[in-house]
Amino acid sequence: MPPASSRPVDNLDDDDYPAYTMGRAAEMLGTTPAFLRALGEHRLITPLRSEGGHRRYSRYQLRIAARARELVDQGTAIEAACRIVILEDQLEEAQRINEQLRTQGGEAQPKAPA
């Protein structure tokens, strides 16, 4: 029997599993495949490729793409929307790390002068 972590049903809960084709992803987001390709060109998301070379998107990538679409729909240029989403993601990660350090008692202490 294969290890539990490699069972196909485990992929149902994996936000990073590339489960969606470009067509399905575009349909879910209410956008076009060209919009998803543009997000890739601006390096916001990099879909994995199937064995046949087709783009495959994860749920995490779809959430990122949905945020970019929201900004574009509000009139933000796609380049700016991609940069905003990248910065928002970096900020969220930094805040998560800071919270982890706080709860672990790892807050930086100022050094005493020598």
Side-chain angles (χ1 to χ4, degrees):
M1 184 170 193
S5 63
S6 66
R7 294 183 349 208
V9 293
D10 291 335
N11 294 332
L12 296 174
D13 294 326
D14 185 354
D15 267 0
D16 294 319
Y17 182 72
Y20 303 98
T21 63
M22 176 179 273
R24 180 69 179 128
E27 179 184 321
M28 290 171 67
L29 295 171
T31 189
T32 64
F35 179 78
L36 291 172
R37 281 192 295 274
L39 296 181
E41 290 168 12
H42 293 291
R43 298 184 179 179
L44 179 61
I45 55 176
T46 304
L48 291 176
R49 299 281 182 150
S50 68
E51 288 182 17
H54 301 281
R55 291 173 178 89
R56 304 285 293 196
Y57 296 89
S58 69
R59 287 189 307 214
Y60 173 75
Q61 290 173 325
L62 293 184
R63 283 195 301 274
I64 295 289
R67 176 66 179 129
R69 177 167 185 228
E70 185 180 298
L71 291 167
V72 169
D73 286 350
Q74 293 172 1
T76 306
I78 194 164
E79 299 86 7
C82 289
R83 186 67 182 141
I84 289 168
V85 173
I86 289 168
L87 291 171
E88 288 174 342
D89 197 49
Q90 289 172 345
L91 176 60
E92 184 179 315
E93 177 68 6
Q95 289 172 331
R96 186 190 62 76
I97 290 168
N98 284 340
E99 184 59 31
Q100 266 184 338
L101 292 173
R102 270 191 223 105
T103 59
Q104 295 172 357
E107 290 188 47
Q109 299 295 322
K111 292 186 178 182

